[in-house]
Amino acid sequence: MTIQWFPGHMAKAKREVTEKLKFVDIVFELVDARLPLSSRNPLLDQILQQKPRLVILNKADLADPEQTQKWQNYFENQGFAALALNALENQGTKKIVAKAKTVLAAKFAKDKARGIKPRAIRAMVIGIPNVGKSTLMNRLVGKKIAQTGNKPGVTKGQQWLRSGSELELLDTPGILWPKFEDAEIGKKLALTGAIKDQLLHLDDIALYGLDFFTRYYPGRIAKRYHLTLADEELPLPELLMLITEKRGFRDDYDRGSELVVVEIRQSKLGPFTLDRYEEAGAFYESRSN
């Protein structure tokens, strides 16, 4: 299955981000804590270059905490400041300004030496769709200004928002890259809701999700759907049909697929991390050393 999604407003946003970089001190790059690598846009490294950056692992409440800590360490070892938080419940957001001040300490000291008066930090908030950018900004500002929605593609334009006296935020639309060279990345993004469901075959995504949980979190499927551990060893299509029947959908395979995908997204099967540090992060870290 090949997934491609690059609406026109995203191409425009890429150009605007490039143009607006000179107006900000730091970039807040949001990633989904459930897939910290796969939810990073590789185009951003080209666009942002040496601009100071804070990587924010949002939705940490939905992710495997052990994996989240490993990924936070990974980003810091790559030279980025990093924070894990849950913007929806406003957990950890108060640490952002302090972390940004640490990143920009050298710049502030240089400005002070030149006689430049202190001012609010100007930050650009950026990330792929549905990582919680608008939710985070609303928490920082303290009221609902940025439009939010539990679906990709809600934010369409750019706007400045003020967060107290210490922070000014520049919102940007979510930017996906034109083509996913790795089909598995597309499936991961689809399973967590970063791509519109209308563009997907939900049965493929459901099967991918079931396969992931049987391999990395054995027993959770059985517990959620009142199955046996032996049932988890069934061929995936049979397992999905069994879940469909158990939920009273008879042979409505499509409805069963939707149920599995939605419940995984809602963490009904428990917190999880699709990007396994041991498989991806350790590999990339070893290559950079």
Side-chain angles (χ1 to χ4, degrees):
M1 178 184 64
T2 300
I3 302 173
Q4 297 186 38
W5 185 43
F6 198 53
H9 77 269
M10 291 187 182
K12 179 182 178 183
K14 178 186 173 184
R15 293 193 300 270
E16 291 179 344
V17 166
T18 303
E19 295 168 359
K20 298 287 180 64
L21 266 181
K22 59 186 176 184
F23 300 118
V24 302
D25 304 309
I26 189 171
V27 172
F28 295 161
E29 180 190 358
L30 264 68
V31 298
D32 189 322
R34 296 169 295 179
L35 52 162
L37 277 191
S38 297
S39 60
R40 297 188 79 202
N41 188 332
L43 293 176
L44 290 185
D45 286 336
Q46 302 172 22
I47 298 170
L48 302 182
Q49 297 183 17
Q50 300 304 313
K51 180 66 69 173
R53 198 184 318 185
L54 170 60
V55 179
I56 299 174
L57 292 86
N58 192 28
K59 305 187 180 183
D61 57 311
L62 305 179
D64 183 328
E66 291 185 9
Q67 287 287 314
T68 298
Q69 185 59 60
K70 290 177 180 178
W71 281 115
Q72 186 171 340
N73 294 341
Y74 165 83
F75 287 121
E76 290 174 348
N77 289 338
Q78 297 299 306
F80 301 116
L83 273 178
L85 53 81
N86 171 12
L88 186 63
E89 300 298 331
N90 206 18
Q91 296 174 354
T93 55
K94 294 181 180 179
K95 300 177 182 179
I96 292 176
V97 172
K99 198 77 168 181
K101 285 182 177 179
T102 300
V103 175
L104 296 171
K107 170 184 165 46
F108 289 156
K110 185 176 179 181
D111 288 348
K112 183 177 180 180
R114 293 167 60 189
I116 299 175
K117 293 182 179 180
R119 59 166 175 77
I121 295 171
R122 293 171 183 162
M124 177 186 292
V125 182
I126 199 166
I128 71 168
N130 206 36
V131 291
K133 297 182 303 300
S134 296
T135 300
L136 174 64
M137 295 182 74
N138 288 335
R139 292 289 181 263
L140 291 172
V141 174
K143 52 186 175 181
K144 189 173 182 179
I145 296 178
Q147 186 181 6
T148 63
N150 189 25
K151 60 182 180 180
V154 170
T155 305
K156 292 296 194 298
Q158 293 182 328
Q159 56 181 326
W160 282 98
L161 304 172
R162 190 164 185 87
S163 176
S165 60
E166 296 185 297
L167 184 64
E168 293 178 356
L169 301 167
L170 177 63
D171 189 16
T172 61
I175 307 175
L176 277 176
W177 50 108
K179 181 179 180 180
F180 308 119
E181 295 180 0
D182 185 339
E184 186 163 357
I185 289 179
K187 291 179 180 179
K188 289 178 179 180
L189 292 168
L191 185 59
T192 54
I195 300 172
K196 291 182 178 179
D197 285 346
Q198 296 90 326
L199 301 173
L200 308 172
H201 299 295
L202 281 183
D203 55 342
D204 288 338
I205 305 305
L207 293 173
Y208 174 77
L210 291 175
D211 178 56
F212 173 81
F213 272 90
T214 57
R215 286 189 290 130
Y216 294 101
Y217 300 102
R220 290 197 189 178
I221 293 172
K223 181 178 180 180
R224 177 64 187 173
Y225 299 109
H226 306 292
L227 309 177
T228 66
L229 291 177
D231 290 332
E232 288 194 5
E233 299 177 5
L234 290 170
L236 294 174
E238 292 183 24
L239 177 58
L240 180 54
M241 284 306 302
L242 181 59
I243 292 171
T244 300
E245 294 170 1
K246 282 278 189 178
R247 284 303 173 96
F249 300 152
R250 295 189 180 180
D251 58 354
D252 193 340
Y253 189 75
D254 291 337
R255 194 174 176 189
S257 298
E258 182 179 4
L259 168 77
V260 168
V261 170
V262 169
E263 293 204 335
I264 288 175
R265 288 176 183 170
Q266 295 176 345
S267 287
K268 295 292 180 63
L269 279 71
F272 65 95
T273 299
L274 292 170
D275 284 344
R276 311 301 293 179
Y277 171 78
E278 294 78 9
E279 297 174 7
F283 170 73
Y284 286 115
E285 238 170 359
S286 67
R287 289 183 63 185
S288 64
N289 293 333

